[in-house]
Short mmCIF file of all heavy atoms in Angstrom, two decimals:
data_model
loop_
_atom_site.label_atom_id
_atom_site.label_comp_id
_atom_site.label_asym_id
_atom_site.label_seq_id
_atom_site.Cartn_x
_atom_site.Cartn_y
_atom_site.Cartn_z
N GLN A 1 -163.76 -155.04 -155.39
CA GLN A 1 -162.90 -155.55 -156.41
C GLN A 1 -162.93 -157.11 -156.43
O GLN A 1 -163.39 -157.74 -155.44
CB GLN A 1 -161.43 -155.12 -156.25
CG GLN A 1 -160.74 -155.49 -154.97
CD GLN A 1 -159.45 -154.74 -154.79
OE1 GLN A 1 -159.41 -153.49 -154.72
NE2 GLN A 1 -158.42 -155.46 -154.75
N HIS A 2 -162.64 -157.76 -157.57
CA HIS A 2 -162.90 -159.11 -157.76
C HIS A 2 -162.20 -160.05 -156.87
O HIS A 2 -162.58 -161.22 -156.58
CB HIS A 2 -162.58 -159.47 -159.25
CG HIS A 2 -161.02 -159.61 -159.44
ND1 HIS A 2 -160.34 -160.82 -159.28
CD2 HIS A 2 -160.14 -158.68 -159.87
CE1 HIS A 2 -159.07 -160.58 -159.55
NE2 HIS A 2 -158.86 -159.33 -159.89
N ASN A 3 -160.99 -159.65 -156.32
CA ASN A 3 -160.18 -160.61 -155.48
C ASN A 3 -160.34 -160.35 -153.97
O ASN A 3 -159.50 -160.91 -153.18
CB ASN A 3 -158.76 -160.60 -155.91
CG ASN A 3 -158.24 -159.13 -155.76
OD1 ASN A 3 -158.87 -158.18 -155.40
ND2 ASN A 3 -156.87 -159.04 -155.88
N VAL A 4 -161.36 -159.66 -153.50
CA VAL A 4 -161.56 -159.36 -152.12
C VAL A 4 -162.94 -159.86 -151.73
O VAL A 4 -163.94 -159.51 -152.36
CB VAL A 4 -161.50 -157.88 -151.78
CG1 VAL A 4 -161.77 -157.68 -150.37
CG2 VAL A 4 -160.01 -157.33 -152.16
N ILE A 5 -162.94 -160.74 -150.72
CA ILE A 5 -164.23 -161.18 -150.10
C ILE A 5 -164.98 -159.90 -149.57
O ILE A 5 -164.45 -159.25 -148.80
CB ILE A 5 -163.99 -162.25 -149.00
CG1 ILE A 5 -163.27 -163.48 -149.51
CG2 ILE A 5 -165.36 -162.55 -148.40
CD1 ILE A 5 -164.05 -164.20 -150.60
N PRO A 6 -166.25 -159.72 -150.08
CA PRO A 6 -166.89 -158.42 -149.59
C PRO A 6 -167.28 -158.65 -148.13
O PRO A 6 -167.88 -159.69 -147.70
CB PRO A 6 -168.10 -158.43 -150.51
CG PRO A 6 -168.30 -159.80 -151.01
CD PRO A 6 -167.00 -160.34 -151.05
N ASP A 7 -167.02 -157.53 -147.36
CA ASP A 7 -167.38 -157.58 -145.90
C ASP A 7 -168.69 -156.89 -145.68
O ASP A 7 -169.15 -156.78 -144.50
CB ASP A 7 -166.28 -156.92 -145.10
CG ASP A 7 -166.00 -155.52 -145.35
OD1 ASP A 7 -166.64 -155.03 -146.38
OD2 ASP A 7 -165.21 -154.83 -144.66
N LEU A 8 -169.34 -156.32 -146.66
CA LEU A 8 -170.62 -155.67 -146.53
C LEU A 8 -171.49 -155.76 -147.78
O LEU A 8 -171.00 -155.63 -148.92
CB LEU A 8 -170.36 -154.14 -146.25
CG LEU A 8 -171.63 -153.23 -146.05
CD1 LEU A 8 -172.33 -153.64 -144.87
CD2 LEU A 8 -171.20 -151.71 -146.11
N CYS A 9 -172.75 -156.18 -147.48
CA CYS A 9 -173.74 -156.26 -148.54
C CYS A 9 -174.88 -155.38 -148.22
O CYS A 9 -175.46 -155.49 -147.09
CB CYS A 9 -174.13 -157.59 -148.86
SG CYS A 9 -175.28 -157.68 -150.31
N GLU A 10 -175.32 -154.38 -149.04
CA GLU A 10 -176.43 -153.53 -148.74
C GLU A 10 -177.56 -153.79 -149.87
O GLU A 10 -177.24 -153.97 -151.00
CB GLU A 10 -175.96 -152.10 -148.80
CG GLU A 10 -174.89 -151.71 -147.82
CD GLU A 10 -174.31 -150.37 -147.90
OE1 GLU A 10 -173.68 -150.13 -149.02
OE2 GLU A 10 -174.59 -149.55 -147.08
N PHE A 11 -178.74 -153.82 -149.47
CA PHE A 11 -179.79 -153.95 -150.35
C PHE A 11 -181.06 -153.06 -149.90
O PHE A 11 -181.10 -152.68 -148.76
CB PHE A 11 -180.17 -155.42 -150.61
CG PHE A 11 -180.53 -156.16 -149.37
CD1 PHE A 11 -181.84 -156.39 -148.87
CD2 PHE A 11 -179.46 -156.91 -148.67
CE1 PHE A 11 -182.11 -157.07 -147.76
CE2 PHE A 11 -179.74 -157.60 -147.52
CZ PHE A 11 -181.06 -157.69 -147.01
N THR A 12 -181.88 -152.88 -150.82
CA THR A 12 -183.12 -152.03 -150.55
C THR A 12 -184.36 -152.82 -150.74
O THR A 12 -184.51 -153.66 -151.75
CB THR A 12 -183.14 -150.88 -151.53
OG1 THR A 12 -181.91 -150.10 -151.31
CG2 THR A 12 -184.34 -149.93 -151.30
N LEU A 13 -185.28 -152.75 -149.79
CA LEU A 13 -186.62 -153.34 -149.88
C LEU A 13 -187.74 -152.36 -150.12
O LEU A 13 -187.77 -151.30 -149.47
CB LEU A 13 -186.83 -154.11 -148.59
CG LEU A 13 -185.85 -155.18 -148.18
CD1 LEU A 13 -186.18 -155.79 -146.78
CD2 LEU A 13 -185.63 -156.29 -149.29
N ASP A 14 -188.58 -152.77 -151.13
CA ASP A 14 -189.77 -151.93 -151.33
C ASP A 14 -190.98 -152.68 -150.84
O ASP A 14 -191.24 -153.85 -151.22
CB ASP A 14 -189.91 -151.76 -152.90
CG ASP A 14 -191.19 -150.99 -153.26
OD1 ASP A 14 -192.32 -151.50 -153.07
OD2 ASP A 14 -191.09 -149.93 -153.84
N VAL A 15 -191.67 -152.14 -149.75
CA VAL A 15 -192.74 -152.87 -149.12
C VAL A 15 -193.99 -152.06 -149.31
O VAL A 15 -194.22 -150.94 -148.99
CB VAL A 15 -192.48 -152.89 -147.53
CG1 VAL A 15 -193.46 -153.86 -146.98
CG2 VAL A 15 -191.00 -153.41 -147.28
N ARG A 16 -194.93 -152.72 -149.99
CA ARG A 16 -196.27 -152.17 -150.26
C ARG A 16 -197.26 -152.67 -149.18
O ARG A 16 -197.66 -153.76 -149.30
CB ARG A 16 -196.78 -152.44 -151.65
CG ARG A 16 -195.79 -151.97 -152.80
CD ARG A 16 -195.71 -150.47 -152.83
NE ARG A 16 -194.60 -150.07 -153.65
CZ ARG A 16 -194.57 -148.90 -154.38
NH1 ARG A 16 -195.70 -148.03 -154.30
NH2 ARG A 16 -193.62 -148.50 -154.94
N VAL A 17 -197.57 -151.80 -148.27
CA VAL A 17 -198.23 -152.15 -147.04
C VAL A 17 -199.77 -151.95 -147.23
O VAL A 17 -200.19 -150.84 -147.49
CB VAL A 17 -197.66 -151.30 -145.95
CG1 VAL A 17 -198.30 -151.83 -144.58
CG2 VAL A 17 -196.13 -151.52 -145.82
N THR A 18 -200.50 -152.99 -146.93
CA THR A 18 -202.01 -152.94 -146.91
C THR A 18 -202.52 -152.27 -145.63
O THR A 18 -201.77 -152.07 -144.67
CB THR A 18 -202.60 -154.25 -147.09
OG1 THR A 18 -202.61 -155.05 -145.95
CG2 THR A 18 -201.98 -155.03 -148.29
N ASP A 19 -203.78 -152.04 -145.70
CA ASP A 19 -204.54 -151.47 -144.50
C ASP A 19 -204.60 -152.38 -143.33
O ASP A 19 -205.02 -152.06 -142.25
CB ASP A 19 -205.89 -151.00 -144.89
CG ASP A 19 -206.77 -152.12 -145.48
OD1 ASP A 19 -206.36 -152.66 -146.44
OD2 ASP A 19 -207.84 -152.33 -144.93
N ALA A 20 -204.11 -153.67 -143.52
CA ALA A 20 -204.10 -154.67 -142.41
C ALA A 20 -202.97 -154.28 -141.50
O ALA A 20 -202.87 -154.86 -140.36
CB ALA A 20 -203.95 -156.06 -142.94
N TYR A 21 -201.99 -153.49 -141.85
CA TYR A 21 -200.81 -153.15 -141.11
C TYR A 21 -200.63 -151.65 -141.05
O TYR A 21 -200.88 -150.91 -142.01
CB TYR A 21 -199.60 -153.75 -141.73
CG TYR A 21 -199.40 -155.27 -141.57
CD1 TYR A 21 -199.90 -156.13 -142.48
CD2 TYR A 21 -198.79 -155.76 -140.53
CE1 TYR A 21 -199.77 -157.52 -142.42
CE2 TYR A 21 -198.52 -157.24 -140.39
CZ TYR A 21 -199.06 -158.01 -141.35
OH TYR A 21 -198.94 -159.36 -141.26
N THR A 22 -199.94 -151.18 -139.90
CA THR A 22 -199.33 -149.86 -139.96
C THR A 22 -197.91 -150.13 -140.53
O THR A 22 -197.47 -151.26 -140.56
CB THR A 22 -199.18 -149.25 -138.53
OG1 THR A 22 -198.37 -150.17 -137.70
CG2 THR A 22 -200.61 -149.11 -137.89
N LEU A 23 -197.24 -149.12 -140.93
CA LEU A 23 -195.85 -149.33 -141.40
C LEU A 23 -195.00 -149.85 -140.36
O LEU A 23 -194.11 -150.75 -140.58
CB LEU A 23 -195.32 -147.98 -141.87
CG LEU A 23 -196.00 -147.29 -143.10
CD1 LEU A 23 -195.18 -146.15 -143.61
CD2 LEU A 23 -196.20 -148.27 -144.23
N GLU A 24 -195.28 -149.46 -139.10
CA GLU A 24 -194.46 -149.89 -138.01
C GLU A 24 -194.60 -151.42 -137.82
O GLU A 24 -193.68 -152.16 -137.48
CB GLU A 24 -194.77 -149.11 -136.71
CG GLU A 24 -194.38 -147.67 -136.70
CD GLU A 24 -195.28 -146.71 -137.46
OE1 GLU A 24 -196.35 -147.21 -137.99
OE2 GLU A 24 -195.05 -145.56 -137.62
N GLU A 25 -195.93 -151.86 -137.88
CA GLU A 25 -196.11 -153.34 -137.69
C GLU A 25 -195.48 -154.17 -138.73
O GLU A 25 -194.90 -155.20 -138.56
CB GLU A 25 -197.55 -153.51 -137.71
CG GLU A 25 -198.40 -152.96 -136.38
CD GLU A 25 -199.86 -152.98 -136.51
OE1 GLU A 25 -200.36 -153.04 -137.73
OE2 GLU A 25 -200.55 -152.89 -135.50
N ALA A 26 -195.57 -153.67 -140.01
CA ALA A 26 -195.00 -154.40 -141.13
C ALA A 26 -193.46 -154.40 -140.93
O ALA A 26 -192.89 -155.57 -141.16
CB ALA A 26 -195.32 -153.75 -142.45
N PHE A 27 -192.90 -153.34 -140.51
CA PHE A 27 -191.47 -153.35 -140.34
C PHE A 27 -191.03 -154.35 -139.30
O PHE A 27 -190.03 -155.06 -139.45
CB PHE A 27 -191.00 -151.92 -139.94
CG PHE A 27 -189.50 -151.82 -139.65
CD1 PHE A 27 -188.63 -151.73 -140.62
CD2 PHE A 27 -189.02 -151.66 -138.30
CE1 PHE A 27 -187.26 -151.69 -140.39
CE2 PHE A 27 -187.70 -151.62 -138.00
CZ PHE A 27 -186.78 -151.51 -139.09
N GLU A 28 -191.75 -154.35 -138.15
CA GLU A 28 -191.43 -155.30 -136.98
C GLU A 28 -191.48 -156.81 -137.48
O GLU A 28 -190.72 -157.55 -137.13
CB GLU A 28 -192.21 -154.95 -135.84
CG GLU A 28 -191.86 -153.72 -135.13
CD GLU A 28 -190.44 -153.64 -134.66
OE1 GLU A 28 -189.86 -154.63 -134.23
OE2 GLU A 28 -189.84 -152.54 -134.78
N GLU A 29 -192.52 -157.09 -138.31
CA GLU A 29 -192.69 -158.42 -138.74
C GLU A 29 -191.58 -158.91 -139.66
O GLU A 29 -191.09 -159.97 -139.48
CB GLU A 29 -194.01 -158.59 -139.45
CG GLU A 29 -194.39 -160.06 -139.75
CD GLU A 29 -195.80 -160.27 -140.18
OE1 GLU A 29 -196.66 -159.60 -139.59
OE2 GLU A 29 -196.04 -161.09 -141.04
N LEU A 30 -191.01 -158.01 -140.53
CA LEU A 30 -189.95 -158.30 -141.41
C LEU A 30 -188.72 -158.42 -140.58
O LEU A 30 -187.89 -159.26 -140.76
CB LEU A 30 -189.81 -157.17 -142.50
CG LEU A 30 -190.41 -157.33 -143.85
CD1 LEU A 30 -190.16 -156.07 -144.68
CD2 LEU A 30 -189.82 -158.50 -144.50
N LYS A 31 -188.49 -157.52 -139.64
CA LYS A 31 -187.31 -157.39 -138.78
C LYS A 31 -187.10 -158.76 -138.01
O LYS A 31 -186.04 -159.26 -137.80
CB LYS A 31 -187.45 -156.26 -137.85
CG LYS A 31 -186.05 -156.00 -137.03
CD LYS A 31 -186.34 -154.78 -136.21
CE LYS A 31 -185.09 -154.52 -135.34
NZ LYS A 31 -185.25 -153.25 -134.46
N SER A 32 -188.19 -159.30 -137.68
CA SER A 32 -188.12 -160.63 -136.89
C SER A 32 -187.71 -161.78 -137.77
O SER A 32 -187.37 -162.84 -137.15
CB SER A 32 -189.52 -160.89 -136.20
OG SER A 32 -190.46 -161.25 -137.16
N LYS A 33 -187.72 -161.68 -139.01
CA LYS A 33 -187.44 -162.79 -139.85
C LYS A 33 -186.13 -162.68 -140.62
O LYS A 33 -185.62 -163.63 -141.19
CB LYS A 33 -188.53 -162.89 -140.93
CG LYS A 33 -189.94 -163.19 -140.38
CD LYS A 33 -190.00 -164.50 -139.77
CE LYS A 33 -191.56 -164.85 -139.24
NZ LYS A 33 -191.59 -166.10 -138.62
N LEU A 34 -185.44 -161.55 -140.62
CA LEU A 34 -184.23 -161.24 -141.42
C LEU A 34 -183.05 -161.01 -140.46
O LEU A 34 -183.20 -160.53 -139.40
CB LEU A 34 -184.44 -160.12 -142.22
CG LEU A 34 -185.62 -160.12 -143.34
CD1 LEU A 34 -185.68 -158.82 -144.12
CD2 LEU A 34 -185.52 -161.31 -144.13
N LYS A 35 -181.84 -161.40 -141.02
CA LYS A 35 -180.61 -161.15 -140.17
C LYS A 35 -179.99 -159.83 -140.40
O LYS A 35 -179.27 -159.39 -139.55
CB LYS A 35 -179.66 -162.25 -140.66
CG LYS A 35 -180.13 -163.75 -140.29
CD LYS A 35 -179.15 -164.65 -140.85
CE LYS A 35 -179.59 -166.10 -140.64
NZ LYS A 35 -178.74 -167.13 -141.27
N ALA A 36 -180.29 -159.20 -141.52
CA ALA A 36 -179.67 -157.88 -141.83
C ALA A 36 -180.14 -156.76 -140.81
O ALA A 36 -181.20 -156.92 -140.29
CB ALA A 36 -180.11 -157.46 -143.31
N GLU A 37 -179.38 -155.83 -140.79
CA GLU A 37 -179.72 -154.65 -140.02
C GLU A 37 -180.70 -153.75 -140.87
O GLU A 37 -180.28 -153.36 -142.00
CB GLU A 37 -178.49 -153.78 -139.63
CG GLU A 37 -178.78 -152.50 -138.90
CD GLU A 37 -177.50 -151.67 -138.60
OE1 GLU A 37 -176.43 -152.20 -138.60
OE2 GLU A 37 -177.71 -150.48 -138.51
N LEU A 38 -181.85 -153.50 -140.44
CA LEU A 38 -182.91 -152.72 -141.28
C LEU A 38 -183.04 -151.37 -140.75
O LEU A 38 -183.20 -151.15 -139.56
CB LEU A 38 -184.16 -153.57 -141.20
CG LEU A 38 -184.26 -155.06 -141.65
CD1 LEU A 38 -185.51 -155.53 -141.64
CD2 LEU A 38 -183.54 -155.15 -143.03
N THR A 39 -183.12 -150.43 -141.75
CA THR A 39 -183.41 -149.06 -141.38
C THR A 39 -184.48 -148.47 -142.28
O THR A 39 -184.26 -148.39 -143.57
CB THR A 39 -182.12 -148.14 -141.51
OG1 THR A 39 -181.07 -148.75 -140.70
CG2 THR A 39 -182.38 -146.73 -141.11
N PRO A 40 -185.61 -148.11 -141.78
CA PRO A 40 -186.72 -147.49 -142.65
C PRO A 40 -186.34 -146.11 -143.02
O PRO A 40 -185.82 -145.31 -142.24
CB PRO A 40 -187.93 -147.54 -141.74
CG PRO A 40 -187.40 -147.51 -140.36
CD PRO A 40 -186.06 -148.21 -140.39
N ARG A 41 -186.58 -145.79 -144.33
CA ARG A 41 -186.29 -144.43 -144.73
C ARG A 41 -187.26 -143.39 -144.16
O ARG A 41 -187.04 -142.23 -143.97
CB ARG A 41 -186.33 -144.31 -146.30
CG ARG A 41 -185.16 -145.04 -146.80
CD ARG A 41 -185.07 -144.81 -148.40
NE ARG A 41 -184.04 -145.59 -149.00
CZ ARG A 41 -183.86 -145.65 -150.30
NH1 ARG A 41 -184.59 -145.03 -151.17
NH2 ARG A 41 -182.85 -146.45 -150.81
N SER A 42 -188.54 -143.77 -144.09
CA SER A 42 -189.70 -142.98 -143.61
C SER A 42 -190.78 -143.79 -143.14
O SER A 42 -191.08 -144.90 -143.56
CB SER A 42 -190.15 -142.14 -144.83
OG SER A 42 -191.33 -141.40 -144.52
#
């Protein structure tokens, strides 16, 4: 609601991964740069 400072922000990232990375490697590189808690769907 408009008058409450939000205590949670959620967002979704779409990552198109090239053959230079495994998904796990790409995830770890992103994780090292961001403050958010990241959870891969698959």
Side-chain angles (χ1 to χ4, degrees):
Q1 59 191 66
H2 75 90
N3 59 351
V4 178
I5 299 294
D7 62 352
L8 178 66
C9 184
E10 299 173 295
F11 53 94
T12 300
L13 303 178
D14 178 292
V15 191
R16 301 294 166 150
V17 183
T18 74
D19 56 301
Y21 287 88
T22 65
L23 298 188
E24 291 80 3
E25 290 169 341
F27 178 76
E28 289 301 322
E29 190 166 320
L30 267 178
K31 187 177 178 181
S32 70
K33 300 293 185 180
L34 303 180
K35 298 174 182 176
E37 178 185 336
L38 305 182
T39 304
R41 291 186 186 177
S42 169

